[in-house]
Amino acid sequence: FGYHKVDGDAQQPNWLNSGKYPKIFFELKGLREDYWKKNILYAKAFGTLSIKNKTASISFPVSVKYLHSKRKKFDGKSGDVLFLEGNLTLSRGNFGIQPEGMLDFIQDQIIVKVSLVGCSKGKRPLLPSRLFI
């Protein structure tokens, strides 16, 4: 979170309870409602999110960009790069994160920014898809 006190408080049992639930899981099931705008694919990602042993089906808008042979710019290795970015809104109460508490300071609806970068070990041949143009 960027603030020492908040970082510590967020781990407490009434917040994330990271001692008991050290991981948050998201399983991406797929993309739907996709459309292209220039060389970027826009879609709704959908899947299952688990926080504090509570699971929910969620969907949120994402953008996907593929960079052929551009991995060298990022880490000096040969390969391709895939970027996936999006934002989703979650209810703290639905996941047992300080439900109904501190609403004067932190709203129940929180925005989570998702950024995923994937790379291949080598340059891949272009596939028959607009994503790989």
Side-chain angles (χ1 to χ4, degrees), residues 24-58:
I24 295 172
F25 295 97
F26 176 68
E27 181 182 356
L28 178 65
K29 305 277 185 173
L31 302 174
R32 59 179 158 223
E33 299 177 27
D34 55 288
Y35 65 95
W36 290 93
K37 192 170 184 182
K38 296 192 179 189
N39 64 343
I40 298 175
L41 174 67
Y42 294 91
K44 279 205 173 179
F46 64 96
T48 306
L49 177 66
S50 296
I51 301 174
K52 290 180 71 173
N53 213 27
K54 296 182 188 316
T55 301
S57 294
I58 63 167

Side-chain angles (χ1 to χ4, degrees), residues 61-80:
V62 295
S63 64
V64 181
K65 182 154 184 159
Y66 172 76
L67 301 175
H68 180 65
S69 302
K70 300 294 185 188
R71 181 174 178 186
K72 195 169 282 272
K73 286 184 174 183
F74 297 95
D75 66 2
K77 297 178 182 176
S78 180
D80 303 334

Side-chain angles (χ1 to χ4, degrees), residues 15 91-93 97-110:
W15 287 95
S91 165
R92 292 187 296 122
I97 302 171
Q98 187 70 6
E100 300 180 20
M102 299 194 67
L103 292 175
D104 293 343
F105 303 103
I106 302 171
Q107 294 186 9
D108 179 60
Q109 299 290 316
I110 56 174

Side-chain angles (χ1 to χ4, degrees), residues 80-92:
D80 303 334
V81 179
L82 186 70
F83 292 104
L84 183 142
E85 296 181 310
N87 293 313
L88 66 135
T89 303
L90 297 176
S91 165
R92 292 187 296 122

Side-chain angles (χ1 to χ4, degrees), residues 96-131:
I97 302 171
Q98 187 70 6
E100 300 180 20
M102 299 194 67
L103 292 175
D104 293 343
F105 303 103
I106 302 171
Q107 294 186 9
D108 179 60
Q109 299 290 316
I110 56 174
I111 297 172
V112 178
K113 183 176 180 177
V114 176
S115 296
L116 176 69
V117 178
C119 7
S120 65
K121 289 185 178 179
K123 297 175 187 171
R124 300 176 63 84
L126 297 179
L127 303 175
S129 165
R130 279 193 69 187
L131 184 59

